[in-house]
Amino acid sequence: MASLIEPLAHELLLALAQHHLACTRQLPLLLGPDRTREAVADRLDKLRREQLVDCVMRAPSRRTDVWFLTPKGARITQGWPALRGRPPYPITSATAARRNAPHSLTVLRAYLAFTSDARRRGGAHAHLGWTPQVPHAIGHRGKLVADAVLHATPAEVQQQRTLRAFVEVDRSPGSGERLAAKLTAYARLWACRPHAAGQRRQAGGPLWRRWYPVFPRLLFILTGAHQQILHRRIGQLQAVTAHHPLVAALAGEVPLGAVTLDDLEGHGATAPVWVPLVGTEPRSWTEL
């Protein structure tokens, strides 16, 4: 079926299948400089008439169309090679789109900051992979859902190694306790061992090796408040890292860093704007 869909339509369906939600302004940025906003808007209208995509107006402005796949569009994209291995997380109703839009569109903003930085530095768009809403089991009943998992091959990394990172985007909906809880959840994932059959104690290698050869670095991206407040929250993350024994152990093995979304968009992902959770000197996310 994919081969029967013209290129721009295929790109749009693939983008919405991968990122779940995107607004009209974001989609041309996502697809690259060869795709104009006018061409994208025209093809979206055609896909909507074909009942493959739909949109809602984003509250409170009600001036931004937020696009998503319909059940028909989700069925067509199911099984496409580029989507293999990605967790099923379709948003195929207006209700779900409105509920998820604020967070999903902010997560996509973060991705666009990474990919635009790669383009400016001459990197191919294909060098960036971004999988939103990735679930991970922790123990018998626990679960951690990463906002996104990033797979990147930055040009400046020696031997062109692929780097992986968990990405958490915080829109400041509450206190810093939520951020601290997410940080400790990643520490629990890092330390978790599977239970051997018939045994109560954990045994064997770490559980995360089911998904990753190396535990991904952990990146926090903060927005939704004044820069001074966001930097204070980064300081709170540093305090948790210093004083929580399990998080401190994680930090001894895994790079941890945080940045504000404004700094990420203003300077680029590989600029020295990431504050390490152990240390104070800002650096690139690849050098944490």
Short mmCIF file of all heavy atoms in Angstrom, two decimals, residues 117-178:
data_model
loop_
_atom_site.label_atom_id
_atom_site.label_comp_id
_atom_site.label_asym_id
_atom_site.label_seq_id
_atom_site.Cartn_x
_atom_site.Cartn_y
_atom_site.Cartn_z
N ASP A 117 19.02 21.33 14.37
CA ASP A 117 20.44 21.48 14.70
C ASP A 117 21.28 20.55 13.84
O ASP A 117 22.34 20.93 13.32
CB ASP A 117 20.66 21.18 16.18
CG ASP A 117 22.10 21.38 16.61
OD1 ASP A 117 22.52 22.54 16.73
OD2 ASP A 117 22.81 20.37 16.83
N ALA A 118 20.80 19.31 13.64
CA ALA A 118 21.53 18.35 12.79
C ALA A 118 21.61 18.85 11.36
O ALA A 118 22.64 18.71 10.69
CB ALA A 118 20.85 16.99 12.85
N ARG A 119 20.52 19.43 10.86
CA ARG A 119 20.53 19.94 9.49
C ARG A 119 21.50 21.11 9.34
O ARG A 119 22.23 21.21 8.34
CB ARG A 119 19.12 20.37 9.09
CG ARG A 119 18.18 19.20 8.84
CD ARG A 119 16.75 19.68 8.67
NE ARG A 119 15.85 18.57 8.39
CZ ARG A 119 14.57 18.56 8.71
NH1 ARG A 119 14.04 19.60 9.33
NH2 ARG A 119 13.81 17.53 8.42
N ARG A 120 21.52 22.01 10.33
CA ARG A 120 22.44 23.14 10.26
C ARG A 120 23.89 22.68 10.23
O ARG A 120 24.75 23.31 9.61
CB ARG A 120 22.23 24.07 11.46
CG ARG A 120 21.00 24.94 11.38
CD ARG A 120 21.07 26.06 12.40
NE ARG A 120 21.21 25.56 13.77
CZ ARG A 120 20.19 25.30 14.57
NH1 ARG A 120 18.96 25.45 14.13
NH2 ARG A 120 20.41 24.87 15.80
N ARG A 121 24.17 21.56 10.90
CA ARG A 121 25.53 21.05 10.98
C ARG A 121 25.86 20.08 9.86
O ARG A 121 26.90 19.43 9.87
CB ARG A 121 25.75 20.39 12.33
CG ARG A 121 25.55 21.36 13.50
CD ARG A 121 25.56 20.64 14.83
NE ARG A 121 26.89 20.14 15.16
CZ ARG A 121 27.84 20.84 15.75
NH1 ARG A 121 27.60 22.10 16.08
NH2 ARG A 121 29.01 20.31 16.01
N GLY A 122 24.95 19.96 8.90
CA GLY A 122 25.21 19.11 7.75
C GLY A 122 24.88 17.66 7.94
O GLY A 122 25.19 16.83 7.08
N GLY A 123 24.24 17.31 9.04
CA GLY A 123 23.88 15.92 9.28
C GLY A 123 22.61 15.55 8.54
O GLY A 123 21.74 16.38 8.29
N ALA A 124 22.52 14.31 8.14
CA ALA A 124 21.32 13.83 7.45
C ALA A 124 20.19 13.66 8.46
O ALA A 124 20.41 13.26 9.60
CB ALA A 124 21.60 12.49 6.76
N HIS A 125 18.97 13.95 7.99
CA HIS A 125 17.81 13.82 8.87
C HIS A 125 17.67 12.38 9.36
O HIS A 125 17.24 12.14 10.49
CB HIS A 125 16.56 14.25 8.10
CG HIS A 125 15.32 14.31 8.94
ND1 HIS A 125 14.07 14.25 8.42
CD2 HIS A 125 15.15 14.41 10.28
CE1 HIS A 125 13.17 14.32 9.39
NE2 HIS A 125 13.80 14.42 10.52
N ALA A 126 18.08 11.44 8.53
CA ALA A 126 17.95 10.03 8.90
C ALA A 126 18.84 9.66 10.09
O ALA A 126 18.66 8.61 10.69
CB ALA A 126 18.27 9.13 7.72
N HIS A 127 19.81 10.52 10.41
CA HIS A 127 20.69 10.23 11.54
C HIS A 127 19.99 10.42 12.88
O HIS A 127 20.55 10.11 13.91
CB HIS A 127 21.93 11.13 11.49
CG HIS A 127 22.93 10.68 10.47
ND1 HIS A 127 24.15 11.25 10.33
CD2 HIS A 127 22.86 9.70 9.53
CE1 HIS A 127 24.82 10.65 9.35
NE2 HIS A 127 24.04 9.72 8.86
N LEU A 128 18.78 10.98 12.83
CA LEU A 128 18.04 11.17 14.07
C LEU A 128 16.83 10.26 14.10
O LEU A 128 16.04 10.23 13.15
CB LEU A 128 17.57 12.63 14.19
CG LEU A 128 18.63 13.65 14.60
CD1 LEU A 128 18.07 15.05 14.49
CD2 LEU A 128 19.08 13.40 16.02
N GLY A 129 16.70 9.53 15.16
CA GLY A 129 15.50 8.73 15.36
C GLY A 129 14.84 9.17 16.66
O GLY A 129 15.53 9.46 17.63
N TRP A 130 13.55 9.21 16.66
CA TRP A 130 12.81 9.73 17.82
C TRP A 130 11.56 8.89 17.96
O TRP A 130 10.69 8.90 17.10
CB TRP A 130 12.46 11.18 17.56
CG TRP A 130 11.79 11.94 18.66
CD1 TRP A 130 10.45 12.07 18.88
CD2 TRP A 130 12.42 12.76 19.65
NE1 TRP A 130 10.21 12.90 19.93
CE2 TRP A 130 11.42 13.34 20.44
CE3 TRP A 130 13.76 13.04 19.95
CZ2 TRP A 130 11.69 14.19 21.50
CZ3 TRP A 130 14.03 13.90 21.01
CH2 TRP A 130 13.01 14.47 21.77
N THR A 131 11.45 8.17 19.05
CA THR A 131 10.29 7.33 19.30
C THR A 131 9.57 7.84 20.53
O THR A 131 10.08 7.73 21.64
CB THR A 131 10.69 5.86 19.52
OG1 THR A 131 11.51 5.43 18.43
CG2 THR A 131 9.46 4.97 19.61
N PRO A 132 8.38 8.43 20.37
CA PRO A 132 7.66 8.94 21.54
C PRO A 132 6.97 7.82 22.31
O PRO A 132 6.66 6.76 21.78
CB PRO A 132 6.62 9.89 20.92
CG PRO A 132 7.00 10.06 19.48
CD PRO A 132 7.75 8.83 19.11
N GLN A 133 6.74 8.10 23.59
CA GLN A 133 5.93 7.27 24.47
C GLN A 133 6.38 5.79 24.46
O GLN A 133 5.67 4.90 24.00
CB GLN A 133 4.45 7.38 24.07
CG GLN A 133 3.84 8.74 24.28
CD GLN A 133 3.76 9.10 25.76
OE1 GLN A 133 3.22 8.35 26.55
NE2 GLN A 133 4.30 10.25 26.13
N VAL A 134 7.59 5.57 24.97
CA VAL A 134 8.17 4.23 24.97
C VAL A 134 8.03 3.63 26.37
O VAL A 134 8.63 4.14 27.33
CB VAL A 134 9.65 4.26 24.55
CG1 VAL A 134 10.21 2.84 24.50
CG2 VAL A 134 9.78 4.94 23.18
N PRO A 135 7.26 2.55 26.52
CA PRO A 135 7.07 1.96 27.85
C PRO A 135 8.19 0.99 28.21
O PRO A 135 8.75 0.31 27.36
CB PRO A 135 5.74 1.21 27.70
CG PRO A 135 5.69 0.82 26.25
CD PRO A 135 6.43 1.91 25.49
N HIS A 136 8.51 0.94 29.50
CA HIS A 136 9.50 0.01 30.03
C HIS A 136 8.97 -0.58 31.33
O HIS A 136 8.50 0.15 32.21
CB HIS A 136 10.84 0.71 30.32
CG HIS A 136 11.42 1.41 29.14
ND1 HIS A 136 11.01 2.66 28.73
CD2 HIS A 136 12.39 1.03 28.27
CE1 HIS A 136 11.70 3.02 27.67
NE2 HIS A 136 12.55 2.06 27.37
N ALA A 137 9.06 -1.88 31.46
CA ALA A 137 8.64 -2.54 32.69
C ALA A 137 9.69 -2.35 33.76
O ALA A 137 10.89 -2.38 33.50
CB ALA A 137 8.41 -4.03 32.44
N ILE A 138 9.24 -2.12 34.99
CA ILE A 138 10.13 -2.05 36.16
C ILE A 138 9.61 -3.04 37.18
O ILE A 138 8.56 -2.83 37.79
CB ILE A 138 10.16 -0.64 36.77
CG1 ILE A 138 10.55 0.41 35.73
CG2 ILE A 138 11.15 -0.60 37.94
CD1 ILE A 138 10.55 1.82 36.28
N GLY A 139 10.31 -4.13 37.36
CA GLY A 139 9.88 -5.11 38.32
C GLY A 139 8.63 -5.84 37.85
O GLY A 139 8.35 -5.95 36.65
N HIS A 140 7.86 -6.32 38.81
CA HIS A 140 6.71 -7.16 38.50
C HIS A 140 5.54 -6.36 37.94
O HIS A 140 4.89 -6.76 36.98
CB HIS A 140 6.27 -7.91 39.75
CG HIS A 140 5.10 -8.82 39.54
ND1 HIS A 140 5.09 -9.82 38.57
CD2 HIS A 140 3.88 -8.88 40.14
CE1 HIS A 140 3.93 -10.45 38.59
NE2 HIS A 140 3.18 -9.90 39.54
N ARG A 141 5.26 -5.19 38.54
CA ARG A 141 4.10 -4.42 38.12
C ARG A 141 4.40 -2.98 37.73
O ARG A 141 3.54 -2.28 37.21
CB ARG A 141 3.04 -4.42 39.23
CG ARG A 141 2.44 -5.79 39.52
CD ARG A 141 1.35 -5.68 40.56
NE ARG A 141 0.72 -6.98 40.81
CZ ARG A 141 -0.26 -7.17 41.68
NH1 ARG A 141 -0.71 -6.14 42.40
NH2 ARG A 141 -0.78 -8.38 41.85
N GLY A 142 5.61 -2.53 37.99
CA GLY A 142 5.93 -1.14 37.71
C GLY A 142 6.15 -0.89 36.22
O GLY A 142 6.44 -1.79 35.45
N LYS A 143 5.97 0.37 35.83
CA LYS A 143 6.19 0.74 34.43
C LYS A 143 6.65 2.19 34.36
O LYS A 143 6.16 3.04 35.10
CB LYS A 143 4.90 0.56 33.61
CG LYS A 143 5.10 0.83 32.12
CD LYS A 143 3.84 0.47 31.32
CE LYS A 143 2.75 1.46 31.50
NZ LYS A 143 1.64 1.26 30.51
N LEU A 144 7.59 2.44 33.47
CA LEU A 144 8.06 3.79 33.19
C LEU A 144 7.84 4.05 31.70
O LEU A 144 8.24 3.24 30.87
CB LEU A 144 9.55 3.93 33.54
CG LEU A 144 10.20 5.29 33.35
CD1 LEU A 144 11.37 5.45 34.33
CD2 LEU A 144 10.71 5.51 31.93
N VAL A 145 7.19 5.16 31.38
CA VAL A 145 6.97 5.52 29.98
C VAL A 145 7.82 6.75 29.68
O VAL A 145 7.58 7.84 30.21
CB VAL A 145 5.48 5.82 29.70
CG1 VAL A 145 5.29 6.20 28.23
CG2 VAL A 145 4.62 4.61 30.05
N ALA A 146 8.85 6.57 28.85
CA ALA A 146 9.69 7.69 28.45
C ALA A 146 8.94 8.58 27.47
O ALA A 146 8.26 8.09 26.57
CB ALA A 146 10.97 7.17 27.79
N ASP A 147 9.04 9.89 27.65
CA ASP A 147 8.43 10.80 26.69
C ASP A 147 8.94 10.51 25.29
O ASP A 147 8.19 10.57 24.31
CB ASP A 147 8.72 12.26 27.07
CG ASP A 147 7.82 12.75 28.18
OD1 ASP A 147 6.76 12.14 28.43
OD2 ASP A 147 8.17 13.77 28.81
N ALA A 148 10.22 10.20 25.18
CA ALA A 148 10.79 9.83 23.88
C ALA A 148 12.12 9.13 24.12
O ALA A 148 12.78 9.33 25.15
CB ALA A 148 11.00 11.05 22.99
N VAL A 149 12.51 8.30 23.15
CA VAL A 149 13.85 7.73 23.10
C VAL A 149 14.51 8.25 21.84
O VAL A 149 13.96 8.12 20.74
CB VAL A 149 13.82 6.19 23.12
CG1 VAL A 149 15.23 5.64 22.96
CG2 VAL A 149 13.20 5.68 24.42
N LEU A 150 15.66 8.86 22.00
CA LEU A 150 16.41 9.46 20.90
C LEU A 150 17.54 8.53 20.49
O LEU A 150 18.28 8.03 21.33
CB LEU A 150 16.98 10.81 21.34
CG LEU A 150 18.03 11.48 20.45
CD1 LEU A 150 17.41 11.91 19.12
CD2 LEU A 150 18.65 12.67 21.17
N HIS A 151 17.67 8.29 19.18
CA HIS A 151 18.80 7.56 18.59
C HIS A 151 19.45 8.53 17.62
O HIS A 151 18.82 8.95 16.64
CB HIS A 151 18.34 6.31 17.84
CG HIS A 151 17.54 5.36 18.66
ND1 HIS A 151 18.05 4.18 19.18
CD2 HIS A 151 16.25 5.40 19.06
CE1 HIS A 151 17.11 3.55 19.86
NE2 HIS A 151 16.01 4.27 19.80
N ALA A 152 20.68 8.91 17.86
CA ALA A 152 21.33 9.90 17.02
C ALA A 152 22.77 9.50 16.72
O ALA A 152 23.42 8.82 17.52
CB ALA A 152 21.31 11.27 17.69
N THR A 153 23.24 9.95 15.56
CA THR A 153 24.64 9.75 15.18
C THR A 153 25.22 11.13 14.87
O THR A 153 25.35 11.53 13.72
CB THR A 153 24.76 8.83 13.95
OG1 THR A 153 24.02 7.64 14.18
CG2 THR A 153 26.21 8.46 13.69
N PRO A 154 25.54 11.90 15.91
CA PRO A 154 26.06 13.25 15.68
C PRO A 154 27.39 13.23 14.95
O PRO A 154 28.23 12.36 15.18
CB PRO A 154 26.21 13.83 17.10
CG PRO A 154 25.34 12.96 17.96
CD PRO A 154 25.38 11.60 17.32
N ALA A 155 27.59 14.20 14.07
CA ALA A 155 28.80 14.23 13.25
C ALA A 155 30.05 14.40 14.10
O ALA A 155 31.13 13.94 13.73
CB ALA A 155 28.70 15.37 12.22
N GLU A 156 29.92 15.08 15.25
CA GLU A 156 31.12 15.36 16.05
C GLU A 156 31.51 14.21 16.97
O GLU A 156 32.56 14.27 17.61
CB GLU A 156 30.90 16.63 16.90
CG GLU A 156 29.82 16.50 17.97
CD GLU A 156 28.44 16.79 17.42
OE1 GLU A 156 28.29 16.91 16.19
OE2 GLU A 156 27.50 16.88 18.22
N VAL A 157 30.69 13.18 17.07
CA VAL A 157 31.02 12.05 17.94
C VAL A 157 32.05 11.17 17.25
O VAL A 157 31.92 10.84 16.07
CB VAL A 157 29.75 11.24 18.27
CG1 VAL A 157 30.11 9.98 19.05
CG2 VAL A 157 28.79 12.09 19.09
N GLN A 158 33.07 10.78 18.00
CA GLN A 158 34.14 9.97 17.43
C GLN A 158 33.60 8.65 16.89
O GLN A 158 32.73 8.03 17.49
CB GLN A 158 35.22 9.70 18.48
CG GLN A 158 36.00 10.93 18.88
CD GLN A 158 37.10 10.61 19.88
OE1 GLN A 158 37.19 9.49 20.36
NE2 GLN A 158 37.93 11.58 20.18
N GLN A 159 34.13 8.24 15.74
CA GLN A 159 33.80 6.97 15.10
C GLN A 159 32.31 6.86 14.77
O GLN A 159 31.78 5.77 14.56
CB GLN A 159 34.23 5.79 15.99
CG GLN A 159 35.72 5.76 16.27
CD GLN A 159 36.11 4.62 17.19
OE1 GLN A 159 35.28 3.94 17.76
NE2 GLN A 159 37.42 4.41 17.33
N GLN A 160 31.61 8.02 14.72
CA GLN A 160 30.21 8.05 14.30
C GLN A 160 29.35 7.06 15.09
O GLN A 160 28.52 6.34 14.56
CB GLN A 160 30.10 7.76 12.79
CG GLN A 160 30.71 8.85 11.92
CD GLN A 160 29.90 10.13 11.96
OE1 GLN A 160 28.86 10.24 11.34
NE2 GLN A 160 30.40 11.12 12.69
N ARG A 161 29.57 7.00 16.39
CA ARG A 161 28.79 6.10 17.23
C ARG A 161 27.35 6.59 17.36
O ARG A 161 27.08 7.78 17.40
CB ARG A 161 29.41 6.01 18.63
CG ARG A 161 30.73 5.32 18.69
CD ARG A 161 31.18 5.17 20.14
NE ARG A 161 31.37 6.45 20.80
CZ ARG A 161 30.59 6.93 21.77
NH1 ARG A 161 29.55 6.23 22.19
NH2 ARG A 161 30.85 8.08 22.33
N THR A 162 26.45 5.64 17.43
CA THR A 162 25.06 5.97 17.70
C THR A 162 24.89 6.19 19.20
O THR A 162 25.29 5.35 20.01
CB THR A 162 24.12 4.85 17.24
OG1 THR A 162 24.22 4.72 15.82
CG2 THR A 162 22.67 5.16 17.61
N LEU A 163 24.34 7.33 19.56
CA LEU A 163 24.06 7.64 20.95
C LEU A 163 22.56 7.52 21.20
O LEU A 163 21.74 7.90 20.35
CB LEU A 163 24.52 9.06 21.29
CG LEU A 163 26.00 9.37 21.11
CD1 LEU A 163 26.28 10.81 21.51
CD2 LEU A 163 26.86 8.43 21.93
N ARG A 164 22.21 6.99 22.34
CA ARG A 164 20.81 6.87 22.72
C ARG A 164 20.55 7.70 23.96
O ARG A 164 21.41 7.80 24.84
CB ARG A 164 20.44 5.41 22.98
CG ARG A 164 20.49 4.52 21.75
CD ARG A 164 20.25 3.06 22.09
NE ARG A 164 20.24 2.23 20.89
CZ ARG A 164 21.33 1.76 20.29
NH1 ARG A 164 22.53 2.05 20.79
NH2 ARG A 164 21.23 1.02 19.21
N ALA A 165 19.36 8.26 24.02
CA ALA A 165 19.00 9.05 25.20
C ALA A 165 17.52 8.92 25.49
O ALA A 165 16.69 8.90 24.58
CB ALA A 165 19.36 10.53 24.99
N PHE A 166 17.20 8.81 26.77
CA PHE A 166 15.83 9.01 27.22
C PHE A 166 15.59 10.52 27.29
O PHE A 166 16.44 11.26 27.80
CB PHE A 166 15.61 8.42 28.61
CG PHE A 166 15.72 6.92 28.66
CD1 PHE A 166 16.65 6.30 29.47
CD2 PHE A 166 14.87 6.11 27.92
CE1 PHE A 166 16.75 4.92 29.55
CE2 PHE A 166 14.96 4.72 27.98
CZ PHE A 166 15.90 4.14 28.80
N VAL A 167 14.45 10.96 26.79
CA VAL A 167 14.13 12.38 26.81
C VAL A 167 12.85 12.58 27.61
O VAL A 167 11.83 11.95 27.33
CB VAL A 167 13.96 12.94 25.39
CG1 VAL A 167 13.61 14.42 25.43
CG2 VAL A 167 15.23 12.72 24.56
N GLU A 168 12.92 13.44 28.60
CA GLU A 168 11.75 13.81 29.39
C GLU A 168 11.48 15.30 29.23
O GLU A 168 12.35 16.13 29.48
CB GLU A 168 11.98 13.48 30.87
CG GLU A 168 11.92 12.01 31.19
CD GLU A 168 10.55 11.41 30.90
OE1 GLU A 168 9.53 12.08 31.15
OE2 GLU A 168 10.50 10.26 30.41
N VAL A 169 10.28 15.63 28.78
CA VAL A 169 9.89 17.01 28.56
C VAL A 169 8.91 17.40 29.66
O VAL A 169 7.84 16.81 29.78
CB VAL A 169 9.25 17.20 27.18
CG1 VAL A 169 8.82 18.66 26.98
CG2 VAL A 169 10.23 16.78 26.08
N ASP A 170 9.30 18.38 30.45
CA ASP A 170 8.46 18.81 31.58
C ASP A 170 7.91 20.21 31.29
O ASP A 170 8.67 21.14 31.06
CB ASP A 170 9.27 18.82 32.87
CG ASP A 170 8.40 19.11 34.08
OD1 ASP A 170 7.75 18.17 34.58
OD2 ASP A 170 8.35 20.28 34.50
N ARG A 171 6.59 20.32 31.32
CA ARG A 171 5.93 21.59 31.03
C ARG A 171 5.56 22.34 32.31
O ARG A 171 4.71 23.24 32.28
CB ARG A 171 4.67 21.35 30.19
CG ARG A 171 4.96 20.75 28.82
CD ARG A 171 3.71 20.59 27.99
NE ARG A 171 2.74 19.70 28.61
CZ ARG A 171 1.56 20.07 29.09
NH1 ARG A 171 1.19 21.33 29.04
NH2 ARG A 171 0.74 19.18 29.64
N SER A 172 6.17 21.98 33.42
CA SER A 172 5.95 22.65 34.70
C SER A 172 4.50 22.65 35.15
O SER A 172 3.98 23.68 35.59
CB SER A 172 6.47 24.11 34.62
OG SER A 172 7.83 24.14 34.31
N PRO A 173 3.79 21.51 35.04
CA PRO A 173 2.40 21.50 35.48
C PRO A 173 2.26 21.49 36.99
O PRO A 173 1.19 21.78 37.52
CB PRO A 173 1.86 20.19 34.89
CG PRO A 173 3.06 19.30 34.82
CD PRO A 173 4.23 20.20 34.52
N GLY A 174 3.31 21.15 37.72
CA GLY A 174 3.23 21.09 39.17
C GLY A 174 4.56 21.40 39.80
O GLY A 174 5.36 22.16 39.26
N SER A 175 4.82 20.82 40.93
CA SER A 175 6.05 21.11 41.66
C SER A 175 7.20 20.29 41.10
O SER A 175 7.03 19.43 40.23
CB SER A 175 5.86 20.79 43.14
OG SER A 175 5.75 19.39 43.31
N GLY A 176 8.39 20.57 41.62
CA GLY A 176 9.56 19.81 41.21
C GLY A 176 9.53 18.37 41.66
O GLY A 176 10.38 17.57 41.25
N GLU A 177 8.54 18.01 42.50
CA GLU A 177 8.46 16.63 42.96
C GLU A 177 8.21 15.66 41.81
O GLU A 177 8.68 14.52 41.84
CB GLU A 177 7.36 16.50 44.02
CG GLU A 177 7.68 17.23 45.32
CD GLU A 177 6.55 17.13 46.32
OE1 GLU A 177 5.53 16.48 45.99
OE2 GLU A 177 6.69 17.67 47.43
N ARG A 178 7.46 16.10 40.81
CA ARG A 178 7.20 15.22 39.65
C ARG A 178 8.51 14.92 38.93
O ARG A 178 8.76 13.77 38.54
CB ARG A 178 6.21 15.88 38.69
CG ARG A 178 5.96 15.06 37.43
CD ARG A 178 5.14 15.84 36.42
NE ARG A 178 5.01 15.07 35.18
CZ ARG A 178 5.93 15.03 34.22
NH1 ARG A 178 7.06 15.71 34.37
NH2 ARG A 178 5.73 14.32 33.12
#
